[in-house]
Amino acid sequence: MYAMRRWSARHSSTLKALYHQIENLLVKLYPKLEKVGIQKIEKPLMFIEKPAKSFLFDSQSCGQCTLGSTGMSCPMNCPKTIRNGPCGGVRANGKCEVKPEMDCVWVVAWEGTQNLKPEERAIQIVQPMLDWRLKGKSAWLRAAEQKVRELRS
Ligand code: SF4
């Protein structure tokens, strides 16, 4: 829902903190999840993650969440799915060149980023290319996996 997208960017600080808590919880639980089998966790976790993120961000479940870096504005709602935006066509009034009825998701991302503490702002970090093999998978689980890998190395 478009109005919720805007709301989420306005409340990016709270939502980013909530994301951290989810990640920390999954990192703590990770050894237990491994025993059960990470593959088996994927579906039940997506049962919660997908509707929650669809409602708040119009998430497209790309499996590689950048919300923490983009002011809680999902770049997958850009008609060109640009992961490092905006494109050259964003209008002077901040509207999208492809869908003039909506604000450019990268303008919203910039606004959402301004609500974060300076040390939390990561919008200028270049995002890697999208791995389409991860579409539909749990981005929360991927983030926890990455954190666990870093802690174990
Ligand atoms: S104006 Fe913004 S939302 Fe529209 S296509 Fe360009 S980057 Fe994407």
Side-chain angles (χ1 to χ4, degrees), residues 78-80 82 86-87 90 96-98 102 104-106:
C78 160
K80 299 178 190 174
I82 289 180
C87 73
V90 56
C96 171
E97 73 162 340
V98 181
M102 79 171 198
C104 167
V105 298
W106 283 97

Side-chain angles (χ1 to χ4, degrees), residues 39 42-43 46 49-50 53-54 57-65 74-78 81 83 129-142:
Q39 297 268 351
E42 194 88 45
K43 254 193 180 174
M46 278 306 275
E49 181 179 334
K50 191 174 177 182
K53 284 166 53 177
S54 292
F57 314 111
D58 278 339
S59 159
Q60 307 295 315
S61 298
C62 71
Q64 300 132 88
C65 205
C74 177
M76 299 308 286
N77 290 313
C78 160
T81 60
R83 303 280 284 187
M129 281 186 297
L130 197 65
D131 182 347
W132 288 100
R133 292 170 297 184
L134 294 174
K135 184 159 174 63
K137 305 229 172 177
S138 168
W140 291 349
L141 208 47
R142 297 291 92 67

Side-chain angles (χ1 to χ4, degrees), residues 6-69:
R6 296 303 315 242
W7 182 91
S8 297
R10 279 199 305 276
H11 297 85
S12 56
S13 182
T14 308
L15 290 169
K16 192 175 161 88
L18 180 65
Y19 253 55
H20 269 304
Q21 284 177 6
I22 293 169
E23 185 181 304
N24 289 342
L25 178 67
L26 285 172
V27 168
K28 264 190 202 151
L29 292 175
Y30 203 81
K32 287 195 175 78
L33 301 181
E34 279 180 313
K35 279 187 190 151
V36 177
I38 297 297
Q39 297 268 351
K40 287 185 191 161
I41 302 300
E42 194 88 45
K43 254 193 180 174
L45 193 57
M46 278 306 275
F47 190 73
I48 302 165
E49 181 179 334
K50 191 174 177 182
K53 284 166 53 177
S54 292
F55 176 68
L56 288 167
F57 314 111
D58 278 339
S59 159
Q60 307 295 315
S61 298
C62 71
Q64 300 132 88
C65 205
T66 61
L67 287 164
S69 304

